[in-house]
Amino acid sequence: MKKFTNVADIGDINKALAEAAEIKRNRFAYTGLGRNKTLMMIFFNSSLRTRLSTQKAAMNLGMNVIVLDVNQGAWKLETERGVIMDGDKAEHLLEAIPVMGCYCDMIGVRSFAGLKDKAEDYEDRVIEQFIRYSGRPVFSMEAATRHPLQSFADLITIEEFKTKPRPKVVMTWAPHPRALPQAVPNSFAEWMNATDYDFVITHPEGYELDPKFVGNARVEYDQRKAFEGADFIYAKNWSAYTDPNYGKVLSTDRGWTVDAEKMALTDNAFFMHCLPVRRNMIVTDDVIESDRSIVIPEAANREISAQVVIKRLLESL
Protein backbone atom coordinates (compact mmCIF):
# COMPACT_ATOMS: atom_id res chain seq x y z
CA MET A 1 0.00 0.00 0.00
CA LYS A 2 1.49 3.32 -1.12
CA LYS A 3 -1.25 5.70 0.06
CA PHE A 4 -4.41 5.62 2.14
CA THR A 5 -7.27 8.01 1.41
CA ASN A 6 -10.34 5.78 1.00
CA VAL A 7 -11.76 2.31 1.50
CA ALA A 8 -10.44 1.05 -1.84
CA ASP A 9 -6.85 1.55 -0.64
CA ILE A 10 -7.30 -0.92 2.23
CA GLY A 11 -8.09 -3.80 -0.12
CA ASP A 12 -9.91 -6.85 1.21
CA ILE A 13 -12.05 -5.67 4.14
CA ASN A 14 -12.01 -9.03 5.91
CA LYS A 15 -8.22 -9.25 5.74
CA ALA A 16 -7.95 -5.71 7.12
CA LEU A 17 -10.28 -6.60 9.99
CA ALA A 18 -8.30 -9.74 10.76
CA GLU A 19 -5.11 -7.70 10.82
CA ALA A 20 -6.76 -5.17 13.14
CA ALA A 21 -7.74 -7.97 15.54
CA GLU A 22 -4.18 -9.31 15.49
CA ILE A 23 -2.72 -5.89 16.27
CA LYS A 24 -5.23 -5.31 19.04
CA ARG A 25 -4.10 -8.54 20.71
CA ASN A 26 -0.47 -7.37 20.60
CA ARG A 27 0.16 -3.74 19.69
CA PHE A 28 3.93 -4.19 19.96
CA ALA A 29 4.44 -7.25 17.77
CA TYR A 30 5.86 -5.15 14.92
CA THR A 31 7.95 -2.63 16.87
CA GLY A 32 10.97 -3.32 14.71
CA LEU A 33 9.13 -2.43 11.52
CA GLY A 34 9.35 1.31 12.15
CA ARG A 35 12.78 1.46 13.79
CA ASN A 36 14.79 4.41 12.43
CA LYS A 37 11.77 5.52 10.38
CA THR A 38 10.04 8.87 10.87
CA LEU A 39 6.38 9.79 10.50
CA MET A 40 5.53 13.44 9.92
CA MET A 41 1.97 14.39 10.94
CA ILE A 42 0.79 17.65 9.40
CA PHE A 43 -2.27 19.41 10.78
CA PHE A 44 -4.04 22.19 8.94
CA ASN A 45 -6.94 21.82 11.41
CA SER A 46 -7.48 21.02 15.08
CA SER A 47 -7.39 17.47 16.36
CA LEU A 48 -7.58 15.42 19.55
CA ARG A 49 -8.33 11.73 18.78
CA THR A 50 -6.60 11.76 15.40
CA ARG A 51 -3.41 13.29 16.72
CA LEU A 52 -3.16 11.13 19.85
CA SER A 53 -4.23 7.83 18.29
CA THR A 54 -2.05 8.18 15.19
CA GLN A 55 1.01 9.20 17.15
CA LYS A 56 0.49 6.30 19.56
CA ALA A 57 0.05 3.87 16.64
CA ALA A 58 3.32 5.02 15.07
CA MET A 59 5.14 4.71 18.40
CA ASN A 60 3.76 1.17 18.81
CA LEU A 61 5.52 0.38 15.54
CA GLY A 62 8.81 1.87 16.73
CA MET A 63 8.66 5.06 14.66
CA ASN A 64 9.94 8.53 15.42
CA VAL A 65 7.16 11.12 15.10
CA ILE A 66 7.28 14.79 14.08
CA VAL A 67 4.07 16.80 14.54
CA LEU A 68 3.60 20.05 12.66
CA ASP A 69 0.65 22.36 13.32
CA VAL A 70 0.72 24.52 10.21
CA ASN A 71 -1.38 27.25 11.82
CA GLN A 72 0.88 27.70 14.84
CA GLY A 73 4.34 26.34 14.17
CA ALA A 74 5.14 27.22 10.56
CA TRP A 75 4.93 29.90 7.90
CA LYS A 76 1.43 30.48 6.60
CA LEU A 77 1.11 28.39 3.47
CA GLU A 78 -0.39 29.33 0.13
CA THR A 79 -2.18 26.42 -1.54
CA GLU A 80 -3.36 27.93 -4.84
CA ARG A 81 -1.38 28.20 -8.06
CA GLY A 82 -1.06 31.50 -9.88
CA VAL A 83 -1.47 33.62 -6.77
CA ILE A 84 0.63 36.76 -6.36
CA MET A 85 1.96 36.14 -2.88
CA ASP A 86 1.86 39.69 -1.56
CA GLY A 87 -0.28 38.88 1.49
CA ASP A 88 0.37 37.12 4.80
CA LYS A 89 1.31 33.74 3.29
CA ALA A 90 5.09 33.50 3.07
CA GLU A 91 5.56 30.03 1.59
CA HIS A 92 3.87 27.99 -1.09
CA LEU A 93 2.78 24.43 -0.48
CA LEU A 94 4.62 23.35 -3.63
CA GLU A 95 7.97 24.18 -2.00
CA ALA A 96 6.95 23.20 1.51
CA ILE A 97 5.76 19.69 0.56
CA PRO A 98 9.02 18.36 -0.95
CA VAL A 99 10.99 19.95 1.90
CA MET A 100 8.82 18.10 4.42
CA GLY A 101 9.42 14.92 2.46
CA CYS A 102 13.18 15.35 2.98
CA TYR A 103 12.77 14.97 6.74
CA CYS A 104 10.59 11.86 7.01
CA ASP A 105 9.68 8.48 5.58
CA MET A 106 5.90 8.84 5.68
CA ILE A 107 3.38 11.71 5.91
CA GLY A 108 -0.06 11.95 7.48
CA VAL A 109 -2.17 14.97 6.49
CA ARG A 110 -5.27 16.52 8.07
CA SER A 111 -7.07 19.23 6.13
CA PHE A 112 -10.77 20.10 6.18
CA ALA A 113 -13.14 21.33 3.48
CA GLY A 114 -13.46 25.09 3.17
CA LEU A 115 -17.22 24.72 2.46
CA LYS A 116 -17.13 27.63 0.01
CA ASP A 117 -16.18 26.00 -3.30
CA LYS A 118 -17.58 22.49 -3.75
CA ALA A 119 -15.43 21.70 -6.79
CA GLU A 120 -12.27 22.66 -4.92
CA ASP A 121 -13.24 20.70 -1.81
CA TYR A 122 -14.20 17.56 -3.72
CA GLU A 123 -10.90 17.56 -5.59
CA ASP A 124 -9.15 17.18 -2.19
CA ARG A 125 -6.43 19.47 -3.47
CA VAL A 126 -4.30 19.64 -0.32
CA ILE A 127 -3.78 15.93 0.27
CA GLU A 128 -3.55 15.23 -3.45
CA GLN A 129 -0.63 17.69 -3.68
CA PHE A 130 1.13 15.84 -0.85
CA ILE A 131 0.65 12.55 -2.69
CA ARG A 132 2.00 14.08 -5.90
CA TYR A 133 4.94 16.12 -4.63
CA SER A 134 6.21 14.70 -1.32
CA GLY A 135 7.90 11.57 -2.67
CA ARG A 136 6.64 9.71 0.40
CA PRO A 137 3.72 7.40 1.26
CA VAL A 138 0.83 9.63 2.37
CA PHE A 139 -2.24 8.81 4.42
CA SER A 140 -5.29 10.87 5.25
CA MET A 141 -5.94 11.94 8.83
CA GLU A 142 -9.12 13.52 7.40
CA ALA A 143 -9.44 15.37 4.15
CA ALA A 144 -12.11 17.53 2.55
CA THR A 145 -14.31 14.63 1.46
CA ARG A 146 -13.36 11.60 3.62
CA HIS A 147 -12.10 10.53 7.05
CA PRO A 148 -10.97 6.95 6.38
CA LEU A 149 -9.12 6.29 9.65
CA GLN A 150 -12.32 7.13 11.53
CA SER A 151 -14.46 4.96 9.28
CA PHE A 152 -12.08 2.01 9.56
CA ALA A 153 -12.25 2.34 13.36
CA ASP A 154 -16.05 2.51 13.13
CA LEU A 155 -16.10 -0.73 11.14
CA ILE A 156 -13.78 -2.45 13.63
CA THR A 157 -16.12 -1.36 16.44
CA ILE A 158 -19.27 -2.62 14.73
CA GLU A 159 -17.60 -5.97 14.08
CA GLU A 160 -16.66 -6.25 17.75
CA PHE A 161 -20.14 -5.43 19.06
CA LYS A 162 -22.49 -6.92 16.47
CA THR A 163 -24.66 -9.86 17.56
CA LYS A 164 -25.86 -10.94 14.12
CA PRO A 165 -24.05 -11.51 10.81
CA ARG A 166 -25.88 -8.70 8.99
CA PRO A 167 -26.74 -5.89 11.41
CA LYS A 168 -28.90 -2.91 10.52
CA VAL A 169 -26.72 0.20 10.69
CA VAL A 170 -28.38 3.61 10.54
CA MET A 171 -26.47 6.84 9.99
CA THR A 172 -28.61 9.74 11.11
CA TRP A 173 -28.17 13.46 10.59
CA ALA A 174 -28.52 15.45 13.80
CA PRO A 175 -28.56 19.22 14.45
CA HIS A 176 -25.47 21.35 15.04
CA PRO A 177 -25.04 25.14 15.36
CA ARG A 178 -22.18 25.32 12.83
CA ALA A 179 -21.64 24.22 9.25
CA LEU A 180 -19.66 20.98 9.22
CA PRO A 181 -18.06 19.13 6.28
CA GLN A 182 -19.49 15.97 4.75
CA ALA A 183 -16.19 14.07 5.21
CA VAL A 184 -17.24 11.81 8.10
CA PRO A 185 -20.68 10.86 6.71
CA ASN A 186 -19.24 10.41 3.21
CA SER A 187 -16.54 8.13 4.51
CA PHE A 188 -18.79 6.18 6.87
CA ALA A 189 -21.21 5.55 4.01
CA GLU A 190 -18.38 4.45 1.72
CA TRP A 191 -17.09 1.92 4.25
CA MET A 192 -20.55 0.63 5.15
CA ASN A 193 -21.30 0.09 1.47
CA ALA A 194 -18.17 -2.05 1.27
CA THR A 195 -19.79 -4.50 3.73
CA ASP A 196 -22.97 -6.58 3.47
CA TYR A 197 -24.66 -4.70 6.32
CA ASP A 198 -28.24 -3.44 6.03
CA PHE A 199 -27.28 0.24 5.74
CA VAL A 200 -29.72 3.15 6.00
CA ILE A 201 -29.11 6.90 5.88
CA THR A 202 -31.68 9.27 7.37
CA HIS A 203 -31.69 13.04 7.16
CA PRO A 204 -34.03 15.98 6.48
CA GLU A 205 -34.72 16.94 2.88
CA GLY A 206 -31.95 19.16 1.55
CA TYR A 207 -29.16 17.21 3.25
CA GLU A 208 -28.65 14.62 0.50
CA LEU A 209 -25.03 13.50 0.20
CA ASP A 210 -23.04 13.00 -2.99
CA PRO A 211 -24.64 9.95 -4.70
CA LYS A 212 -21.25 8.29 -5.16
CA PHE A 213 -20.98 7.99 -1.37
CA VAL A 214 -24.63 7.11 -0.76
CA GLY A 215 -24.13 4.13 -3.05
CA ASN A 216 -26.54 1.30 -2.31
CA ALA A 217 -27.73 2.68 1.03
CA ARG A 218 -31.44 3.17 1.59
CA VAL A 219 -32.29 6.83 2.22
CA GLU A 220 -35.15 7.47 4.64
CA TYR A 221 -36.43 10.98 5.41
CA ASP A 222 -38.47 9.77 8.40
CA GLN A 223 -35.95 9.37 11.22
CA ARG A 224 -38.22 7.34 13.45
CA LYS A 225 -39.01 4.91 10.67
CA ALA A 226 -35.30 4.54 9.92
CA PHE A 227 -34.57 3.70 13.56
CA GLU A 228 -37.02 0.80 13.67
CA GLY A 229 -35.17 -2.45 14.28
CA ALA A 230 -31.72 -0.85 14.05
CA ASP A 231 -28.70 -2.51 15.69
CA PHE A 232 -26.38 0.50 15.47
CA ILE A 233 -27.19 4.21 15.38
CA TYR A 234 -24.39 6.40 14.05
CA ALA A 235 -25.19 10.09 14.62
CA LYS A 236 -23.44 12.87 12.74
CA ASN A 237 -24.16 16.36 11.51
CA TRP A 238 -23.18 17.66 8.09
CA SER A 239 -23.91 20.78 6.08
CA ALA A 240 -25.74 20.77 2.76
CA TYR A 241 -23.97 19.19 -0.21
CA THR A 242 -26.32 20.04 -3.06
CA ASP A 243 -26.22 23.36 -4.91
CA PRO A 244 -27.07 26.16 -4.40
CA ASN A 245 -26.82 25.49 -0.66
CA TYR A 246 -23.41 23.83 -0.49
CA GLY A 247 -21.82 24.30 2.95
CA LYS A 248 -24.90 25.92 4.47
CA VAL A 249 -26.87 25.06 7.61
CA LEU A 250 -30.45 24.52 6.45
CA SER A 251 -31.86 23.32 9.75
CA THR A 252 -31.10 23.12 13.46
CA ASP A 253 -34.31 21.22 14.19
CA ARG A 254 -33.92 19.64 17.64
CA GLY A 255 -36.52 17.12 16.60
CA TRP A 256 -33.62 15.22 14.98
CA THR A 257 -31.61 14.97 18.22
CA VAL A 258 -31.03 11.33 19.16
CA ASP A 259 -32.89 10.71 22.42
CA ALA A 260 -34.12 7.78 24.50
CA GLU A 261 -37.54 7.78 22.85
CA LYS A 262 -36.00 7.22 19.41
CA MET A 263 -33.50 4.67 20.68
CA ALA A 264 -36.46 2.71 22.08
CA LEU A 265 -37.59 2.16 18.48
CA THR A 266 -34.42 0.22 17.73
CA ASP A 267 -33.50 -3.38 18.48
CA ASN A 268 -31.61 -2.26 21.61
CA ALA A 269 -29.13 -0.51 19.33
CA PHE A 270 -25.66 0.66 20.19
CA PHE A 271 -25.06 4.41 19.89
CA MET A 272 -22.01 5.64 17.96
CA HIS A 273 -20.45 9.03 17.23
CA CYS A 274 -16.99 10.00 16.00
CA LEU A 275 -16.55 12.71 18.72
CA PRO A 276 -16.33 15.51 19.69
CA VAL A 277 -20.09 15.61 20.21
CA ARG A 278 -22.41 18.48 21.09
CA ARG A 279 -24.52 17.06 23.90
CA ASN A 280 -28.24 17.75 23.75
CA MET A 281 -27.84 18.88 20.14
CA ILE A 282 -26.59 15.68 18.51
CA VAL A 283 -27.52 13.32 21.37
CA THR A 284 -29.05 13.61 24.81
CA ASP A 285 -27.06 12.98 27.98
CA ASP A 286 -28.97 9.83 28.88
CA VAL A 287 -28.25 8.18 25.51
CA ILE A 288 -24.53 8.95 25.33
CA GLU A 289 -24.08 7.94 28.97
CA SER A 290 -26.09 4.71 28.65
CA ASP A 291 -24.59 1.23 28.66
CA ARG A 292 -25.42 1.02 24.92
CA SER A 293 -23.16 3.94 24.09
CA ILE A 294 -19.90 2.71 22.55
CA VAL A 295 -18.33 6.05 21.69
CA ILE A 296 -15.30 5.37 23.93
CA PRO A 297 -14.45 1.91 22.51
CA GLU A 298 -15.01 3.47 19.08
CA ALA A 299 -12.48 6.22 19.86
CA ALA A 300 -10.03 3.66 21.28
CA ASN A 301 -10.14 1.77 18.00
CA ARG A 302 -8.71 4.83 16.25
CA GLU A 303 -5.30 3.63 17.47
CA ILE A 304 -5.91 0.23 15.89
CA SER A 305 -7.10 1.52 12.51
CA ALA A 306 -4.13 3.89 12.33
CA GLN A 307 -1.69 1.14 13.24
CA VAL A 308 -2.95 -1.18 10.50
CA VAL A 309 -2.58 1.60 7.93
CA ILE A 310 0.89 2.73 9.08
CA LYS A 311 2.09 -0.87 9.27
CA ARG A 312 1.02 -1.53 5.69
CA LEU A 313 2.67 1.68 4.48
CA LEU A 314 5.89 0.74 6.29
CA GLU A 315 5.82 -2.67 4.64
CA SER A 316 5.73 -0.94 1.25
CA LEU A 317 8.88 1.14 1.86
Side-chain angles (χ1 to χ4, degrees), residues 109-311:
V109 182
R110 181 176 176 93
S111 178
F112 293 174
L115 295 180
K116 295 178 180 178
D117 184 327
K118 182 164 74 174
E120 179 179 326
D121 286 344
Y122 274 70
E123 289 173 6
D124 268 322
R125 291 181 185 176
V126 173
I127 194 166
E128 287 300 324
Q129 288 184 84
F130 274 92
I131 291 169
R132 184 176 303 175
Y133 300 117
S134 69
R136 302 298 181 199
V138 174
F139 65 93
S140 172
M141 300 191 298
E142 187 169 2
T145 59
R146 294 176 173 91
H147 194 352
L149 287 178
Q150 177 66 57
S151 302
F152 186 14
D154 297 334
L155 176 61
I156 293 168
T157 307
I158 292 171
E159 285 293 302
E160 290 176 339
F161 282 87
K162 72 180 186 180
T163 58
K164 60 185 70 168
R166 188 171 185 263
K168 180 179 179 180
V169 179
V170 177
M171 180 173 71
T172 179
W173 179 94
H176 194 286
R178 296 176 51 228
L180 298 183
Q182 300 95 34
V184 169
N186 282 349
S187 195
F188 185 76
E190 188 172 60
W191 284 70
M192 293 300 101
N193 277 317
T195 71
D196 64 350
Y197 299 161
D198 179 9
F199 180 48
V200 180
I201 303 173
T202 183
H203 55 72
E205 292 190 20
Y207 280 98
E208 291 78 12
L209 294 167
D210 184 338
K212 77 177 183 181
F213 292 110
V214 175
N216 296 322
R218 289 185 288 123
V219 176
E220 174 58 64
Y221 294 100
D222 183 331
Q223 188 189 37
R224 284 175 169 78
K225 184 177 179 181
F227 274 40
E228 292 176 359
D231 300 293
F232 293 88
I233 298 296
Y234 193 97
K236 186 68 181 81
N237 175 266
W238 61 89
S239 59
Y241 166 76
T242 54
D243 295 324
N245 295 313
Y246 177 72
K248 293 181 181 178
V249 175
L250 305 181
S251 172
T252 56
D253 180 4
R254 301 286 181 87
W256 280 79
T257 300
V258 178
D259 58 21
E261 176 195 355
K262 291 171 192 163
M263 292 297 289
L265 300 170
T266 71
D267 188 11
N268 199 24
F270 291 103
F271 175 80
M272 301 178 70
H273 189 278
C274 62
L275 303 181
V277 65
R278 299 258 183 162
R279 285 183 175 224
N280 302 306
M281 286 286 294
I282 299 287
V283 59
T284 56
D285 289 334
D286 54 349
V287 171
I288 198 168
E289 293 176 10
S290 77
D291 60 4
R292 304 300 286 179
S293 172
I294 54 174
V295 296
I296 304 305
E298 181 184 0
N301 277 330
R302 291 293 308 278
E303 177 187 348
I304 306 305
S305 64
Q307 192 163 335
V308 172
V309 168
I310 295 170
K311 173 180 173 288

Side-chain angles (χ1 to χ4, degrees), residues 97-119:
I97 289 173
V99 168
M100 293 175 191
C102 293
Y103 306 141
C104 64
D105 301 280
M106 185 185 305
I107 298 176
V109 182
R110 181 176 176 93
S111 178
F112 293 174
L115 295 180
K116 295 178 180 178
D117 184 327
K118 182 164 74 174

Side-chain angles (χ1 to χ4, degrees), residues 9-31:
D9 292 330
I10 204 70
D12 186 296
I13 285 283
N14 292 323
K15 288 182 179 178
L17 287 167
E19 193 168 349
E22 177 197 0
I23 283 173
K24 196 164 186 176
R25 286 191 294 269
N26 184 359
R27 289 167 169 79
F28 305 104
Y30 299 95
T31 303

